Structures are given as structure tokens and as C-alpha cells.
Amino acid sequence: MHFPGRFSEQLLADQLHQVSLSFLVDDLVVRRGGVAANIAFGMGQLGEKPVLIGAVGQDFADYQAWLERHGVDCESVHVSNEHHTARFVCTTDEEMCQIASFYAGAMAEARNIELKPAVDRTGADFVVISADDPAAMVRHSTEARERGYRFAADPSQQIARMSGDDLRALVEGAELLFTNDYEKSLLESKTGWSESDVMAEVGVRVTTQGSRGVEIAGKDVERVHVPAAKERAKVDPTGVGDGFRAGFLAGRSWGLSWERSAQVGSLLATLVLETVGTQEYDVKPHDFADRLAESYGDGAAADVLPWLIA
């Protein structure tokens, strides 16, 4: 929502202990989100068939229909009988100051979800454990290890909430670890692990670096740096990291190299950056290939276009 004024003019320093305000807003926009849904949508845009797992409320029907129209399998999503779907509600004033609330809602029930039924039903061969209820993240990582599922740990914004013990339990044995630069340092600080300690626990570490691109390193992977794809506008950074993960994971599922997969992820992230909202972009195969060529050369376009067309 947008408030056509300044919050600072409505707040009285000597009355903050009894503040009671209602802001008359002049705009309301409802946008789809959620880390898992954003990643799944992006993979669907690239022709993949991702399986979404998470906990939602009875209000999920419209969102489910949207995701399914865009190639996302939602059959394994848990629907709560008690809570609404998690949501972030934010009001922004003329000075870009924000007052916001996050409602976790049904997300807390994600800890009751077992991965095995979804894997058995779909034959999925890789699990991505992204930001969710922290207890659910630890449970799913534990189950993946016990059942021998290949998995990626993607703690994202939940690093700030999770304890060092929880983070160690999440990361141990992951084939992939996704973080940005700041999260990389925070994870090492909270776990007490050095960079080499982390690398001993995971197969490959993927570290996004904003406008500087992404770095990939691993036990048996030569260090790779991929610059960010060329952008045409900076509109809304929300969901850019989710877009990168979607493209990167799709590229790996196609059998592309680490570098090429990161290039696909970087371009998909750029498409998210160029639109308002996390799921408002559209991947058109030939246009996508042309932009890959523009940023990374004709070889990148030639490697990726057949997968997009297929």
C-alpha cells in the first residue's frame, strides 16, 4: 500500500507509548510471492515441472490455479484448516519509509510435512530446502540425508532467525549451498565454521554477489565467476535471488555446466529485476536466447535455446 504523506509527521515523540494511528492509503497492490513459489514459477517458465512443497491456508486456491497454469505441481502442498497463508503487508510513504508486518500463519505447519510422499509420487530427484519455518527446514534436511535424497540448502533470510546448531543441521551433506555475500559471512559466524569447514560439509557453494554476479566453488569444481546479465532497467529487486536459483537449477537439470547454468540464472534474475513483482515476467525462448548472447556470447545462446524450445 502507499500512503501519500510522511509517517514522520504523524508520529509524536512524546506519545509513542500510546500510538494509535490509521493511515488512509491511496493504492493497494497484491502480489504473489514466497521463496519456493517464486523459484518454482521461474523453473516453470523455463519448461521444467517443479513440485512445490509447503504449508498454505484455505485462501490458496487462486494462487494454486496461477501456479499450475505456469507448470508448477501443487498437489503436495499442505492446506491448513486453521491458518491463512503467510503474507507480508507493507505500507510505504512518500519518503520510501515503510511500516510492515509479516504473518507466518500456515507456514508453521510446514514442519509436519514429510518429503517422501511427494518424491514417491513424482520421482523428483532433487530437493531444494529454501527459507521456511526453521523447524521444517531442519526436518527436511534431516529426512533428505536419511533417505539419500540429493538436496540444496538455501537458508536465505532465515539465517538471522536460526541458531548455529540449526544451520549446521541444515547445511550438512547438502549438494548445493546457496547464499549471498552477507549471508555467507553470517552463516560462518553463527555456525563457528570457517570457509573451509563449510566447504567440507557441502558439495558446491553458490554465492550471489548482486551487481557483481555470482561465484561458484566446490570440492571438485574449479572456481567460477559469472558476471550479472545486462539489464535494461532497474524496476524492483524483490525476488531476484529466487529468479537466479530457478534458472541455475533448470540449467543443471538440463546437464549444462556450472558456468552456463549460472548464466541462465543471472538472466532470469535480470528479468525479475526489470518487472514489478516476483512472478510478472514471461520467458520467450528466442528473446531469452538473444539476451544470453548479448551478455555471454553466441555459445551460451546455442547451448540453451534447444532446451527452451523443447
Side-chain angles (χ1 to χ4, degrees):
M1 292 171 284
H2 173 256
F3 172 61
R6 295 176 175 83
F7 293 142
S8 59
E9 295 176 353
Q10 322 306 321
L11 299 171
L12 303 176
D14 61 343
Q15 298 295 316
L16 292 180
H17 64 287
Q18 58 181 9
V19 63
S20 178
L21 286 171
S22 176
F23 296 100
L24 180 62
V25 300
D26 61 6
D27 187 40
L28 168 66
V29 179
V30 180
R31 301 209 179 273
R32 305 172 186 92
V35 173
N38 291 341
I39 295 173
F41 175 86
M43 295 186 73
Q45 284 284 293
L46 294 170
E48 292 294 281
K49 302 297 181 184
V51 179
L52 181 65
I53 294 178
V56 300
Q58 297 285 343
D59 53 347
F60 183 62
D62 287 344
Y63 197 175
Q64 178 176 346
W66 162 266
L67 290 170
E68 289 177 343
R69 287 199 304 273
H70 290 86
V72 180
D73 181 327
C74 296
E75 192 172 325
S76 294
V77 172
H78 167 76
V79 180
S80 171
N81 292 319
E82 299 179 13
H83 302 102
H84 293 292
T85 305
R87 67 196 64 207
F88 176 72
V89 182
C90 180
T91 303
T92 306
D93 73 0
E94 289 291 329
E95 294 184 325
M96 299 304 290
C97 294
Q98 295 183 325
I99 295 177
S101 301
F102 179 77
Y103 168 73
M107 188 176 81
E109 297 182 31
R111 66 187 66 182
N112 301 323
I113 299 173
E114 184 181 10
L115 298 176
K116 186 177 186 298
V119 173
D120 289 349
R121 178 179 65 83
T122 63
D125 61 0
F126 196 76
V127 177
V128 182
I129 304 170
S130 291
D132 195 358
D133 171 69
M137 297 167 70
V138 172
R139 173 182 177 169
H140 294 150
S141 180
T142 301
E143 183 184 353
R145 282 191 296 271
E146 291 175 349
R147 298 191 186 279
Y149 300 154
R150 299 165 54 228
F151 73 98
D154 179 22
S156 189
Q157 60 262 40
Q158 290 293 40
I159 290 181
R161 172 74 179 269
M162 298 175 76
S163 68
D165 287 342
D166 284 346
L167 287 168
R168 285 188 289 270
L170 171 68
V171 169
E172 182 184 355
E175 185 168 314
L176 294 175
L177 171 61
F178 289 105
T179 62
N180 62 28
D181 260 343
Y182 182 80
E183 292 162 354
K184 174 180 180 293
S185 298
L186 184 58
L187 184 144
E188 290 169 4
S189 174
K190 296 191 76 168
T191 59
W193 284 344
S194 65
E195 182 172 358
S196 60
D197 291 334
V198 174
M199 293 307 302
E201 298 291 338
V202 303
V204 174
R205 190 169 196 170
V206 182
T207 308
T208 56
Q209 301 173 325
S211 61
R212 293 181 289 115
V214 59
E215 183 175 89
I216 301 168
K219 299 172 184 174
D220 301 313
V221 176
E222 187 174 344
R223 191 173 295 267
V224 174
H225 181 267
V226 173
K230 295 179 180 178
E231 65 203 31
R232 294 175 180 168
K234 284 187 176 76
V235 178
D236 181 3
T238 309
V240 167
D242 301 335
F244 171 81
R245 286 154 175 74
F248 181 84
L249 292 165
R252 291 301 294 168
S253 76
W254 298 336
L256 300 183
S257 67
W258 297 107
E259 179 181 29
R260 199 67 87 216
S261 297
Q263 291 169 348
V264 174
S266 294
L267 180 54
L268 201 68
T270 296
L271 296 188
V272 177
L273 179 66
E274 294 172 349
T275 57
V276 177
T278 60
Q279 299 177 25
E280 308 302 323
Y281 60 94
D282 183 28
V283 173
K284 298 176 180 178
H286 289 281
D287 289 345
F288 193 88
D290 288 344
R291 293 196 61 177
L292 274 175
E294 179 184 346
S295 291
Y296 304 114
D298 292 339
D303 288 344
V304 172
L305 183 57
W307 294 101
L308 299 175
I309 295 173

